[in-house]
Amino acid sequence: MASEDATAGRTAAQAVIAALKESPITRASFLRLVAGVLLVIAVGPAFYRWIKGAFDTGGSSTAEYVANDGNRMLPPPAPLPDSAAVVGGGAKGNFRIYTVTEIPSFSSDTWKFAISGLVDKPNAWNWEQFLQMKRTVQVSDFHCVTGWSVYKCTWEGIPLKQLLAAAGVQASAKFVKFYSGDKVYTDALSLSQANGDDIMVAVLMDGKPIPQQLGGPVRLIVPQMYAYKSVKWLQGIELIEKEHMGYWEVRGYDNDAWVGKSNA
């Protein structure tokens, strides 16, 4: 029976990862994507960041994003006491919305999350199962490579190293690859980076579900790296042997995106 359960878990996890690799991008979205990629290649990442900064509108408040959330995730996650009390005092600053695809929306009826690849115990969860996993709360800052920051966000979620430990990372695994539910964006961390104490698979921010435009229902949070590493709409984690270059890294951004040290 245990062997059958393990096989079923691996099959389910592989199916989720496979679905995330099937890009549904439309022709119009593809043309916009190509135009954006050509711009980055032509002018370089630094000048591209300057262009974004020059036309920066200042972003919107978290409350505005929550009010316009297009996700339908039921039941909503119940915040832990520290999260409900917003121990960080509330996010200081406004988020800007950058996306390489049209912003996706999600429903708890169809949403899945999986960890697969070079692990002993691959698994897939639906929304209710995912919410049953043990969560923690942390306060951290959020830095975008384009120059803006949001400080003292109270995040609640599952420590990434907790997920990796439960999955049983195999000796041949060297990197952790992350898949966005937009089915286009990916990124990766080395295994040693991924085991950092403050890296989180987050489901709540400042005591509320993470809204669609900010990468919810689930997003990766890598506080010590620039936000292009904090994959939005996270649905898949895959342990791999060879290094993976993420969406922006293949377009000139640093693979190691340490805040204040990267020249992305």
Side-chain angles (χ1 to χ4, degrees), residues 44-110:
F47 187 66
Y48 182 62
R49 292 198 305 275
W50 178 86
I51 290 175
K52 279 190 173 184
F55 293 95
D56 189 353
T57 62
S60 298
S61 68
T62 302
E64 291 178 73
Y65 295 128
V66 170
N68 296 306
D69 189 13
N71 289 335
R72 296 292 178 265
M73 308 299 293
L74 298 172
L80 293 170
D82 281 348
S83 189
V86 191
V87 292
K92 306 296 190 297
N94 291 337
F95 287 90
R96 284 72 160 168
I97 305 303
Y98 305 144
T99 177
V100 301
T101 65
E102 296 176 0
I103 295 177
S105 60
F106 301 90
S107 168
S108 48
D109 293 336
T110 56

Side-chain angles (χ1 to χ4, degrees), residues 76-86 135 137 156 203-204 206-209:
L80 293 170
D82 281 348
S83 189
V86 191
R135 302 195 297 268
V137 178
E156 179 181 327
V203 297
L204 290 156
D206 285 353
K208 299 184 183 303

Side-chain angles (χ1 to χ4, degrees), residues 91-173:
K92 306 296 190 297
N94 291 337
F95 287 90
R96 284 72 160 168
I97 305 303
Y98 305 144
T99 177
V100 301
T101 65
E102 296 176 0
I103 295 177
S105 60
F106 301 90
S107 168
S108 48
D109 293 336
T110 56
W111 186 89
K112 299 284 186 182
F113 189 96
I115 185 166
S116 187
L118 299 173
V119 295
D120 295 328
K121 300 175 182 178
N123 207 346
W125 298 265
N126 62 27
W127 179 243
E128 290 194 23
Q129 292 168 337
F130 188 80
L131 292 183
Q132 291 172 10
M133 283 193 278
K134 183 179 179 181
R135 302 195 297 268
T136 61
V137 178
Q138 70 182 40
V139 178
S140 59
D141 300 332
F142 186 93
H143 302 285
C144 181
V145 73
T146 59
W148 56 268
S149 298
V150 179
Y151 300 97
K152 296 186 181 301
C153 300
T154 299
W155 300 103
E156 179 181 327
I158 307 156
L160 178 60
K161 66 179 184 179
Q162 175 184 317
L163 276 171
L164 297 179
V169 177
Q170 296 176 0
S172 56

